[in-house]
Amino acid sequence: MHVIAVPSVPKRTDEFSSADEIINSLLDLRPEKWGLPPFNDWIEGTLPIDPWFIGGPVIKGFGRGSKVLGIPTANLAAENFSDILSDHTSGVYFGWAGLSKRGIYKMVMSIGWNPYFDNTEKTIEPWLLHGFDEDFYGEELRLVIVGYIRPEANFPSLESLIERIHEDGRIAENALDLPEYAKYKESPYLRNPLQEGAATGGNEAEQEFI
């Protein structure tokens, strides 16, 4: 019998060294590695998921997106989404982003502890795949997350991390043109304004579109 471990507590993988493989979540299970038929639901390097919806004002993050990585992220306050963060595994996801005063854009995002920077808390860090001329702190941001790309990972160098983030961006950019994902660009959730100062999260918006 082969044993695949899925630790429920982060940063404790050393406790499962006797397992044949340690994976971040069951989203990362590849049965073909163990002589079983592969799953057939992956599409061009992405996995469709039941969409989930989060929104709130853009806040200042750690400052490393633009300054260190050259990749500006539109951060949301993690404390507003503690239930969602606990329900969803860490990793790289993608979907659509709606900015209340600008429009709708493709986006890729990380959820987790960012092992390279060794975060002490789980964060949500979306990267809108568009060039903006100015910051938009405080502006209302709504996200519809529709697919999964890969588990969270550490990297041996900053350069390799940046290269991988850009690769994630390319994967998301192409995948969101597929009908499976492109249809969510029309979700009313991306356009309906939030009440001032509010934040939303979960699947309550699903009935608006799905």
Side-chain angles (χ1 to χ4, degrees):
M1 182 176 70
H2 295 293
V3 176
I4 301 172
V6 187
S8 59
V9 180
K11 305 181 182 181
R12 300 268 289 275
T13 56
D14 56 313
E15 298 180 7
F16 300 88
S17 57
S18 60
D20 294 294
E21 183 181 26
I22 301 172
I23 58 177
N24 186 57
S25 80
L26 291 177
L27 293 175
D28 304 310
L29 179 62
R30 299 300 180 104
E32 63 269 26
K33 294 179 64 175
W34 309 102
L36 299 170
F39 295 136
N40 59 10
D41 45 359
W42 283 80
I43 305 172
E44 296 189 15
T46 67
L47 179 66
I49 62 174
D50 289 335
W52 41 290
F53 307 77
I54 56 177
V58 177
I59 64 167
K60 288 190 176 183
F62 297 100
R64 62 188 178 218
S66 297
K67 297 176 183 176
V68 179
L69 301 173
I71 300 169
T73 54
N75 297 286
L76 296 173
E79 60 267 23
N80 294 334
F81 307 103
S82 56
D83 290 343
I84 293 174
L85 287 172
S86 63
D87 288 343
H88 291 85
T89 184
S90 60
V92 177
Y93 297 80
F94 65 96
W96 296 97
L99 279 171
S100 57
K101 300 177 182 177
R102 299 169 192 266
I104 297 174
Y105 307 94
K106 297 176 178 179
M107 71 87 192
V108 63
M109 62 182 278
S110 68
I111 295 179
W113 289 268
N114 274 315
Y116 183 84
F117 294 103
D118 197 24
N119 286 2
T120 57
E121 64 178 15
K122 202 173 183 181
T123 60
I124 303 172
E125 300 185 31
W127 173 29
L128 276 57
L129 302 175
H130 179 81
F132 294 95
D133 295 328
E134 58 186 357
D135 294 328
F136 40 85
Y137 297 126
E139 191 167 332
E140 180 187 312
L141 173 66
R142 284 198 161 196
L143 304 176
V144 178
I145 298 95
V146 299
Y148 176 80
I149 296 176
R150 64 173 177 86
E152 189 174 46
N154 205 346
F155 294 86
S157 67
L158 183 63
E159 291 73 22
S160 61
L161 170 60
I162 293 171
E163 181 180 352
R164 181 66 242 219
I165 292 173
H166 281 285
E167 175 63 17
D168 294 335
R170 287 190 289 270
I171 291 172
E173 184 92 38
N174 293 330
L176 287 165
D177 288 331
L178 300 173
E180 175 74 25
Y181 303 121
K183 62 184 179 181
Y184 292 104
K185 185 178 181 181
E186 305 305 319
S187 171
Y189 182 82
L190 293 170
R191 296 173 172 83
N192 292 346
L194 296 170
Q195 293 181 355
E196 187 174 355
T200 65
N203 296 321
E204 74 274 8
E206 209 165 341
Q207 297 303 318
E208 298 179 13
F209 180 68
I210 305 305

